Amino acid sequence: MRFRLLSALAASAAVSVVNGQASETYDYIVVGSGPGGGPLAANLAKAGYKTLLIEAGGDEGDNPTYYDMMTFNEAANDEATRWDFWVKHSDDPARELKFKYTTYDTGDGTFYVGNNPPPEAKHLGIQYPRAAVLGGCAMHNGAVCSLPQDEDWNLIVNLTGDTSWEAHKMRQYYQRIERNEYLATGNSAHGYNGWLKTAAGDTSWAKNDNLTGTKILKELAKLTGQDPAKAAELVGSDILGDYPNRDQISSFYNMVQHSGKDGKRSSPNNYIRATLADAAKYPLTLKLHTFVTKVLFTNSTGMGAAPPRAIGVEVVEGTSVYRADPKHIRGAKAPPSKQIFASKEVIIAGGAFNSPQILKVSGIGPRAELEKFGIPVVKDLPGVGERLADNYEGSILALGNAPVDLPGLITLIFRTPNAATKNRNIFTWCGAFSFEGFWPGFPNNYGPNQFTCAMVHIGPKSQAGSVRLTSADPLDTPDINFNFFKNSGDADLAEFVSAANILRDSWKAAGAPATPFKELHPCPGELGKTANCTDAAQAEFFKLQAYSHHASSTCAIGADDDKMAVLDSKFRVRGVNGLRVVDASSFPVVPGAFPVLPTMMLSEKATDDILADAKKA
């Protein structure tokens, strides 16, 4: 059952008159309430600044589909909040049609998913669902918490010279936001008073040597250089702990989620609502069902002595106005626009797809692309919408002869022998589930005997993707092409195959009654007896069937002499004043295996940078 809370939560704002019409003015306007924008807006309000937070969706914070972690797949499928981006993985149309779950519009209000569509069906592409809801994608994800490799933070230091990004300094932001509920208080690596709850599962099952899952666990320990005798202890390791040489350690861990020990999701939604609840103390205004169509500038031609300055945003109000929304009514007239002003700054936090789109329709982006659609150029920034990156993801999936007796998950971060560096390069979790990517109605349920090891490739070498306009209309969705494996693809695929081989070998230890396994992919047939399970065949499978949901880097921080850099180290958009981008698009590279926690840390750092600049003004 679905519930919808569409209440307008708002505090008072200053009102001025512009061109004969009443308009609102705030100190800061934050566009997007996800892991980047939501906490930032709350922090600015708590610092005493009159802050407006704009969210295109509604509030599902009281909906059990969203707050109960057991129903996160249902949340990601829910039309109440879902935005469908239909993306490409390459420039090759024939290759795109080979993705097993490519999706078509049948014309009768339904989707066809697969490789044999009805004759008149329109090809849409590969579904990449995003969440238009208070709290953003942190409201429909699996809530997996993982920290980036230290080098992901230190890269920003190397690019910009800003030592505030050093990895050991960035950890303070994680500690600041965390409200740890799985470790005893006093662990210096963690925080216990923040707004984000973290919880971990029970791993006591690993002490039972008779379980099928424990047999797989111990064999996997051997294959990854761990002590099988200590496997039961290792699965309880703190995945967010602060260890020497952490990024080089292949180890089992206890998976941590941004949820409470009661199984309820913890997200920016909770923090925003808690801040709004004390309106007398914290001047935060929230506008729901409000879509930003462009940023407003003074000196918008950029021809004056001073750089253009962001002074506000233009918005339309209403539900399902954006054409990524499956509830959008084709041909519907857009609501009238209105303008809202910021006396200090505008901060864009729409995510890796929408942040570059907002900049571009506002006149900030590659000159040729803007001029193609008749958009006046405010600032020529070639990097906006480029360098789109993502973790490659894939899985090996099989059916046991009987259910695999594994009451939890085997969570492992490890290095394959062919990794490009000494750092571990694969994050995997194995259990009695299936996960093969995204399509309308995902995932498949293969029954009680299903068993999967899902994999996330850490540190992908190619960042060749792009987010480009299809028109000047801000309500149109952009063209998104990840260009998977375009650069150094053979090396990334080889690492993926190496990981699959290691995981598959561990399954052989399961024993009766679970064995023999019947593998469904990437090597269909009885486990260990398929003649076509070559490295080349597996590489081809992963090339065609890899998926992703950790998009980043389309408005990346970079060096002063890099023409593709969009932001400086303080999140400021280059060449204009009063405008920042604070979300996953800001990262120069994908931050580790899961970006949600790093993006919340990013938001906390941006808070410090913005408040420091405010004190100087």
Side-chain angles (χ1 to χ4, degrees), residues 17-28:
V17 176
V18 179
N19 295 329
Q21 295 183 337
S23 65
E24 303 168 26
T25 300
Y26 301 83
D27 294 325
Y28 294 97

Side-chain angles (χ1 to χ4, degrees), residues 33-78:
S33 69
L40 174 59
N43 288 342
L44 292 174
K46 286 195 168 188
Y49 291 101
K50 191 173 295 181
T51 304
L52 171 64
L53 176 60
I54 299 177
E55 169 54 51
D59 181 2
E60 300 287 344
D62 293 330
N63 183 344
T65 298
Y66 292 82
Y67 69 65
D68 186 342
M69 285 309 309
M70 296 298 292
T71 56
F72 70 92
N73 281 335
E74 184 179 342
N77 275 295
D78 192 357

Side-chain angles (χ1 to χ4, degrees), residues 305-324:
R309 181 174 186 84
I311 57 170
V313 294
E314 188 171 272
V315 304
V316 294
E317 298 174 330
T319 60
S320 306
V321 297
Y322 191 46
R323 295 183 182 109

Side-chain angles (χ1 to χ4, degrees), residues 62-100:
D62 293 330
N63 183 344
T65 298
Y66 292 82
Y67 69 65
D68 186 342
M69 285 309 309
M70 296 298 292
T71 56
F72 70 92
N73 281 335
E74 184 179 342
N77 275 295
D78 192 357
E79 281 193 357
T81 66
R82 198 183 77 226
W83 276 357
D84 289 333
F85 292 94
W86 303 103
V87 308
K88 294 178 285 190
H89 286 170
S90 74
D91 287 323
D92 182 354
R95 172 178 158 185
E96 294 303 289
L97 297 178
K98 293 178 182 178
F99 185 71
K100 183 179 179 181

Side-chain angles (χ1 to χ4, degrees), residues 497-516:
V497 171
S498 178
N501 288 337
I502 291 169
L503 295 168
R504 183 183 295 106
D505 283 348
S506 74
W507 293 2
K508 297 173 184 177
T515 55

Side-chain angles (χ1 to χ4, degrees), residues 386-503:
E386 300 302 308
R387 291 179 174 172
L388 172 64
D390 212 328
N391 298 116
Y392 299 124
E393 298 183 56
S395 62
I396 58 172
L397 170 65
L399 300 179
N401 192 53
V404 174
D405 197 358
L406 176 59
L409 293 173
I410 298 173
T411 302
L412 168 67
I413 310 178
F414 69 106
R415 180 187 182 275
T416 61
N418 58 352
T421 71
K422 293 182 179 180
N423 287 353
R424 52 200 185 176
N425 57 331
I426 298 292
F427 186 119
T428 187
W429 63 106
C430 305
F433 63 91
S434 73
F435 183 44
E436 302 165 278
F438 298 89
W439 63 89
F442 84 96
N444 287 324
N445 185 344
Y446 295 95
N449 294 3
Q450 65 186 6
F451 192 74
T452 295
C453 284
M455 300 180 288
V456 173
H457 184 261
I458 302 170
K461 301 170 188 62
S462 180
Q463 289 190 240
S466 62
V467 177
R468 295 174 182 166
L469 298 179
T470 55
S471 78
D473 187 344
L475 303 184
D476 280 343
T477 54
D479 178 80
I480 302 167
N481 187 343
F482 282 91
N483 277 318
F484 273 8
F485 305 109
K486 185 172 182 178
N487 300 325
S488 303
D490 289 345
D492 281 340
L493 286 167
E495 292 176 25
F496 233 47
V497 171
S498 178
N501 288 337
I502 291 169
L503 295 168

